[in-house]
Amino acid sequence: MNMKTKISQIAFAISLTLPSFSFAAGGGGVVADPGAMQGKHFDPKGKAPSSYTVELQNGLRKTLPFEDKRDFEESKRGFIAAPAYKTIMADAGNVAWDMGSYEFLLQGKDFDSVHPSLQRQAILNMGYGLYEVVPGKIYQVRGFDLANISFVKTNTGWIVFDPLTAKETARAALELVNEKLGKRPVVAVVYSHSHGDHFGGVRGVVDEADVKSGKVKVIAPVGFMDHAIAENVYAGNAMTRRMYFQYGVLLPRSPFGHVDQSIGKNTAAGNLGLIEPNVYITQPFEKMTVDGVEMEFQNTPGTEAPAEMNTYFPQFKAFWAAENITGTIHNIYTLRGALVRDALAWSKNINNALYRYGNESEVMFASHSWPRWGNERIQEVMRTQRDSYAHLHNEVLHLANNGVTINEIQNVYKQPESLKKQWAAHSYHGSEEHNSRAVINRYLGYWDANPATLAPLSPRDSAPLYVKMMGGSGKILAKGRELYRQGKYREAMEIVNKLVYAQPNNTAAKDLLADIFEQIGYQKESPSMRNSFLGAAYELRHGMPTGASPKSNGPDMIKGMTTELWLNALAISMDSKKADGMNFVINLSTPDNGEKFVVEMSNSALTNIKGQQAKNPNLTVTLNRSDLEKVMGGQTTFDQLQIEGKVKFDGDRKVFDQLRSTLTVFVPDFELMPGTKGKATKPVAPAKDPFAAQEMAITAGE
């Protein structure tokens, strides 16, 4: 089960706490809004776009390069057929995918509550069905998930590129392809990179037994398995909660809510799986022929994902750009949280592709967006995206070297006008604001070199000082409302946010801040930023979601988690205050795979080392890795395994119980905005063994 399934289930659990719009099952847990077609706001507290927002949107409609309609032409090219259905059911009985919930976008209306550029992108992402990319050779199914799934015809079957997030949507895509083009077996699967929407549906297109036997190749870039799991473990609980904002989890699909996710509509809420690759691409450039199809893989680590690769098909003069070149500028920093990416490396990898493949390619397609045809057009888009990441990297550091800080750069950095005229340089997924801050953070960190910000007061501690000095809540509310009426939303946000932190139960302040956030959200081109402002507005008005977080780690993800990774995560879940004064050494051995570890508690820190055994441990724990996986997956416990004779404790069992007593089961139930967690509706932590793996925030198209 993937992260989005988890969110979907949470959303269903809290449906009684929300206003009276219908909870239709959609991908990513986002709800459908029956009033969307009529342009009705889903929230009784919601506000229409202000005159200032309307003026801004009208100005953008006049200045953006809408005369360039090539994307619309290219997005429709090669269309073969759409299925009769708009909804795909998950095996668990919920709706995995509902494309029909976005049909309000196809009315031909301009929505003042949506940035005109974002509305354009949202319409482009409404492509739905089977498309031909290279006549008789390469096809795509689009609009079945956040990502595209691509099919390359071989001598005897299909090579599937990026089998989506969910088994159910990937299976439906394969069925559509076989129905329209003739049934053929899948002979290989390629994972372009380590994000969930590019591998999670693999069990919908191949049988694991065929992979293990070698009948089907599963090809991935070196490091794929590590990064598919590890990126989402250590801070998974925090990432899970933050994704409520980035992905607009509580926002209905509406002109006033969720309209798009920039690189696709949303993520399917189905069964996420993972089959380990049996072929890894280890070289910077590596050639391979699979069932008559020649491919050259280009490893591009450190770009959109830590493990990622492009693919060139010399027979077809076709270039697969993975998620390195799409219809948007991507995230250098993703708002749910992750390591900052390398804009310079990203630019250079695009440049390598441009000079190695760009001169020959006649079509460029990718795991998101739509293909580009013709060599001139391909080179244009490649250069646009190369230069966008290069300019971002170089200009931000130029400004930083002239004294602009991380707390100023978002107001200083600007794309050149030449890039603004190119749709492929627009910030749908990323944004100039948060990407520019990310570049400084990568090189200089979070500190702006002012000692006052090096170890500042927490917002809850500093806010009362500001409120007192500003003359109290009444004056702040009055000034905030005045600034709001003047369309000075960021200025209003600055002071009202202080009041909300100082007085979290001040409903008038929270409602005003929500109104401010809403107008800012309407004005944002990036759906990640739009969703964050609108999601925060929703929680300020109605409180944060309640209900227990259901389990999301499926067996495939647990199997892919190394024992060392699990031990590292245990150390993070340990409450160091409870461990004060504890000192012990545990040897851990898993005979079926030959692994050995020393786990040591000292100085309120839990550490481990692989490949070692202590000479005089307090306790030795022996069990098979296969049984440990059941503990990690919540299917059993150490106590139950001991009863069954499947785990052996040699030594002082008390130290094991001591360790268990320090462990915390994380639940994404903390506030992101002050005063949004109701006292009477505190989420209940799930009954879960503390040795089970903490929930992962499975990445998708980030």
Side-chain angles (χ1 to χ4, degrees), residues 8 61 72 84-85 98 136 236 270 279 301 316 336 359 408 437 455 471 504 538 566 574 582 595 646 661 668 698 702:
S8 180
R61 291 181 185 117
F72 283 95
Y85 53 83
D98 180 13
V279 179
F316 315 136
R336 57 101 191 179
N359 292 324
E408 299 167 327
R437 299 190 78 187
Y538 192 92
W566 171 71
M574 189 196 78
M582 291 184 184
E595 288 188 331
K646 294 180 178 179
S661 73
I698 304 301
E702 297 185 1

Side-chain angles (χ1 to χ4, degrees), residues 488-500:
K488 297 178 179 179
Y489 301 124
R490 295 178 74 195
E491 291 91 338
M493 175 176 67
E494 186 74 16
I495 62 171
V496 179
N497 185 57
K498 293 286 194 298
L499 178 55
V500 170

Side-chain angles (χ1 to χ4, degrees), residues 123-319:
I123 293 168
L124 281 163
N125 282 333
M126 289 296 290
Y128 182 64
L130 175 62
Y131 295 80
E132 185 178 67
V133 178
V134 174
K137 295 297 183 182
I138 300 178
Y139 302 86
Q140 285 189 315
V141 174
R142 301 181 211 141
F144 275 44
D145 210 319
L146 187 69
N148 305 323
I149 181 170
S150 300
F151 297 84
V152 180
K153 186 182 286 188
T154 69
N155 290 340
T156 65
W158 299 113
I159 302 173
V160 176
F161 274 70
D162 286 4
L164 307 180
T165 308
K167 176 176 86 174
E168 296 87 345
T169 53
R171 182 176 60 208
L174 179 60
E175 288 172 352
L176 178 64
V177 167
N178 283 335
E179 176 193 341
K180 300 300 180 181
L181 303 176
K183 190 172 183 179
R184 303 170 70 86
V186 173
V187 299
V189 175
V190 175
Y191 302 146
S192 70
H193 64 284
S194 52
H195 291 157
D197 53 326
H198 304 269
F199 64 78
V202 64
R203 293 186 182 274
V205 296
V206 293
D207 190 305
E208 186 172 17
D210 290 335
V211 177
K212 288 184 173 180
S213 71
K215 180 181 177 181
V216 175
K217 289 183 170 66
V218 176
I219 306 165
V222 63
F224 169 85
M225 283 297 290
D226 289 340
H227 293 298
I229 307 295
E231 187 180 43
N232 311 294
V233 172
Y234 297 146
N237 192 64
M239 290 177 180
T240 296
R241 182 71 179 97
R242 290 161 66 104
M243 288 175 76
Y244 274 72
F245 281 6
Q246 181 181 351
Y247 280 85
V249 170
L250 298 181
L251 298 175
R253 293 168 175 177
S254 158
F256 303 98
H258 195 280
V259 298
D260 202 59
Q261 206 56 53
S262 74
I263 53 177
K265 301 314 298 180
N266 213 288
T267 312
N271 190 322
L272 180 141
L274 175 60
I275 297 175
E276 185 172 358
N278 52 19
V279 179
Y280 284 99
I281 304 303
T282 61
Q283 301 304 309
F285 301 95
E286 192 166 328
K287 294 180 179 180
M288 183 183 300
T289 299
V290 176
D291 197 23
V293 175
E294 298 171 18
M295 296 174 286
E296 180 171 288
F297 299 103
Q298 177 198 5
N299 259 315
T300 62
T303 51
E304 191 270 339
E308 188 150 356
M309 63 186 187
N310 302 325
T311 308
Y312 182 62
F313 302 86
Q315 295 156 299
F316 315 136
K317 295 187 182 302
F319 177 66

Side-chain angles (χ1 to χ4, degrees), residues 314-596:
Q315 295 156 299
F316 315 136
K317 295 187 182 302
F319 177 66
W320 161 261
E323 202 166 326
N324 289 319
I325 305 173
T326 61
T328 173
I329 295 306
H330 218 290
N331 289 312
I332 301 302
Y333 164 70
T334 179
L335 297 182
R336 57 101 191 179
L339 297 178
V340 171
R341 295 161 185 167
D342 188 341
L344 181 60
W346 203 326
S347 174
K348 285 184 175 292
N349 273 295
I350 294 174
N351 212 17
N352 283 333
L354 170 64
Y355 279 88
R356 192 175 181 97
Y357 312 118
N359 292 324
E360 299 178 0
S361 298
E362 293 299 331
V363 61
M364 178 172 67
F365 64 119
S367 55
H368 297 276
S369 306
W370 47 91
R372 273 78 175 193
W373 284 270
N375 189 256
E376 184 178 346
R377 171 66 163 158
I378 291 166
Q379 291 198 44
E380 174 195 338
V381 174
M382 280 185 163
R383 284 189 168 87
T384 294
Q385 295 225 330
R386 176 199 67 184
D387 294 348
S388 294
Y389 295 116
H391 185 273
L392 173 73
H393 176 273
N394 298 339
E395 178 65 9
V396 166
L397 290 181
H398 177 90
L399 291 165
N401 280 308
N402 277 288
V404 179
T405 72
I406 193 169
N407 294 322
E408 299 167 327
I409 190 66
Q410 71 274 10
N411 300 311
V412 178
Y413 173 74
K414 302 294 180 189
Q415 271 191 331
E417 289 300 318
S418 57
L419 284 176
K420 289 181 180 180
K421 294 176 181 177
Q422 305 295 319
W423 288 116
H426 278 249
S427 298
Y428 300 116
H429 215 40
S431 75
E432 290 181 45
E433 294 100 321
H434 75 263
N435 274 348
S436 60
R437 299 190 78 187
V439 174
I440 289 185
N441 187 52
R442 182 177 180 87
Y443 288 94
L444 297 172
Y446 65 87
W447 186 39
D448 64 0
N450 180 345
T453 66
L454 185 54
L457 290 170
S458 298
R460 292 180 187 273
D461 295 326
S462 66
L465 299 175
Y466 286 95
V467 170
K468 184 178 180 180
M469 293 302 296
M470 284 188 280
S473 61
K475 287 190 175 180
I476 295 173
L477 280 170
K479 185 63 176 179
R481 287 172 179 142
E482 179 188 342
L483 291 167
Y484 178 85
R485 289 192 297 269
Q486 295 172 348
K488 297 178 179 179
Y489 301 124
R490 295 178 74 195
E491 291 91 338
M493 175 176 67
E494 186 74 16
I495 62 171
V496 179
N497 185 57
K498 293 286 194 298
L499 178 55
V500 170
Y501 267 97
Q503 300 177 9
N505 295 320
N506 189 327
T507 301
K510 289 190 291 186
D511 283 348
L512 177 56
L513 186 57
D515 291 348
I516 295 164
F517 281 169
E518 191 168 50
Q519 296 300 322
I520 294 173
Y522 291 161
Q523 296 179 12
K524 291 299 179 184
E525 182 177 56
S526 163
S528 294
M529 293 194 74
R530 171 189 174 89
N531 293 341
S532 296
F533 280 103
L534 297 186
Y538 192 92
E539 291 195 16
L540 284 166
R541 289 165 173 163
H542 302 287
M544 60 170 283
T546 62
S549 169
K551 182 174 171 56
S552 69
N553 293 341
D556 289 347
M557 305 307 291
I558 294 297
K559 187 178 179 181
M561 184 185 294
T562 65
T563 305
E564 184 176 14
L565 187 60
W566 171 71
L567 289 170
N568 292 345
L570 282 185
I572 293 168
S573 72
M574 189 196 78
D575 185 338
S576 65
K577 294 183 291 295
K578 294 181 179 179
D580 187 37
M582 291 184 184
N583 288 277
F584 54 76
V585 176
I586 299 173
N587 280 345
L588 174 65
S589 176
T590 52
D592 59 340
N593 67 352
E595 288 188 331
K596 296 181 183 295

